[in-house]
Amino acid sequence: MPLATPADVQAHASANKANKAEVAIVRVLNRERRRRGIPGLRLSPRLAGVARNHTLDQLRTDRLNHTSSDGTPSDVRIRRAVRARANGETIAFSSRGAGSGARTIVRMWLRSPAHASVLLSRSFRRVGIGRAKGRLGSSPGVVVTANLTSRR
């Protein structure tokens, strides 16, 4: 098992509290949802923990994928943490030069029809965001995971 990195320590220390960057992503996302007449999402600490763990797993294993390094698909990871009829996940990597702020990440997602359909789904009411700096390949940047669920 790899040694914990400073990003691991920082993410685990705030496992129950969203950091400013994660809260900013939810704010921008909710602004876009409300602009389209879709109810906003409520931040879920449990979903945030799942999202953060997956983000760290992606950085640790140098891969961007909805399936965890142990083979667990996103829907299974999410269902282990919260009860819901429906769930979804979006992931993103933004290199340092492209920008890593909330608006950049949400804009990237919304430009992709597959990501937009998840983020703008009316059935989703809760969200957890996991964001961490690191490297994918030789590119430094930010990995973000958003896990979304219906009410129950």
Side-chain angles (χ1 to χ4, degrees):
M1 181 159 170
L3 295 173
T5 66
D8 294 336
V9 174
Q10 179 183 4
H12 289 294
S14 61
N16 290 324
K17 185 176 180 190
N19 65 41
K20 289 179 184 179
E22 293 164 349
V23 170
I25 291 169
V26 175
R27 282 189 186 131
V28 172
L29 179 55
N30 278 341
R31 190 174 327 138
E32 291 296 326
R33 285 174 63 94
R34 289 185 182 114
R35 205 168 62 89
R36 292 166 171 82
I38 304 166
L41 299 164
R42 192 182 90 223
L43 192 56
S44 163
R46 282 189 174 177
L47 285 174
V50 174
R52 283 188 198 107
N53 286 339
H54 188 59
T55 293
L56 293 172
D57 180 59
Q58 292 176 93
L59 287 169
R60 218 177 357 260
T61 58
D62 196 26
R63 57 199 283 281
L64 194 63
N65 199 306
H66 291 286
T67 302
S68 297
S69 61
D70 68 0
T72 306
S74 61
D75 64 320
V76 172
R77 283 193 321 272
I78 295 168
R79 278 185 292 164
R80 286 179 183 160
V82 297
R83 292 175 56 179
R85 285 181 309 238
N87 66 58
E89 178 177 82
T90 62
I91 55 178
F93 174 75
S94 183
S95 63
R96 192 179 324 196
S100 60
R103 281 182 280 196
T104 300
I105 298 297
V106 172
R107 190 178 319 122
M108 285 171 49
W109 279 331
L110 294 180
R111 286 182 180 160
S112 160
H115 290 91
S117 70
V118 171
L119 295 170
L120 300 176
S121 171
R122 290 183 178 277
S123 65
F124 295 142
R125 295 301 179 97
R126 297 180 289 180
V127 65
I129 303 290
R131 178 188 180 279
K133 294 178 183 179
R135 289 175 116 38
L136 283 184
S138 61
S139 299
V142 171
V143 173
V144 182
T145 303
N147 290 146
L148 300 96
T149 64
S150 60
R151 282 191 190 167
R152 288 193 204 262

